[in-house]
Amino acid sequence: MVYQLTMNKEELVNMISAKTRLTKKETSHILDALTDTIMETVADGDKVVLVGFGTFEPRDRKERKGMNPQTGQPITIPATTVPAFSAGKLFKEKVVESL
């Protein structure tokens, strides 16, 4: 098996299109709608759970100490909310068995 390091959107659309027999244009619209919906939902503070695949959710990061790399001076990095993804059981199993 040949491993590709990165798959871009066009390649993903081509693979999905081949599996679903939808046009590439239709597939691209569906993929855009999916990613937009996930981003909007997580930005609103909610989770998106795709059983077997994984969970997209916002996570709070606490304020922490850091260092300015240019000056070496200590700085405080403010608390923030970041998007996070946790892989589901089936996704993890699929990755492990393919290695």
Side-chain angles (χ1 to χ4, degrees):
M1 175 177 268
V2 176
Y3 289 99
Q4 183 174 338
L5 298 178
T6 304
M7 177 184 285
N8 64 30
K9 181 181 175 183
E10 181 181 356
E11 293 165 333
L12 181 59
V13 166
N14 289 340
M15 287 185 73
I16 295 170
S17 178
K19 288 184 178 192
T20 62
R21 298 184 186 157
L22 295 171
T23 67
K24 291 177 185 177
K25 187 174 184 177
E26 291 169 328
T27 303
S28 183
H29 286 307
I30 291 168
L31 183 58
D32 289 341
L34 172 70
T35 55
D36 288 346
T37 301
I38 291 171
M39 287 189 289
E40 290 167 4
T41 302
V42 173
D44 288 342
D46 297 322
K47 283 185 186 182
V48 175
V49 180
L50 302 173
V51 176
F53 181 73
T55 303
F56 298 88
E57 65 183 328
R59 290 197 186 142
D60 292 328
R61 244 191 217 163
K62 296 179 182 177
E63 182 179 275
R64 60 196 192 278
K65 300 289 183 196
M67 187 174 294
N68 182 327
Q70 292 179 333
T71 65
Q73 296 294 316
I75 59 171
T76 299
I77 301 168
T80 189
T81 301
V82 296
F85 174 76
S86 298
K89 182 180 177 184
L90 293 176
F91 189 3
K92 289 177 188 177
E93 289 173 356
K94 184 75 171 176
V95 171
V96 169
E97 74 183 35
S98 70
L99 297 178

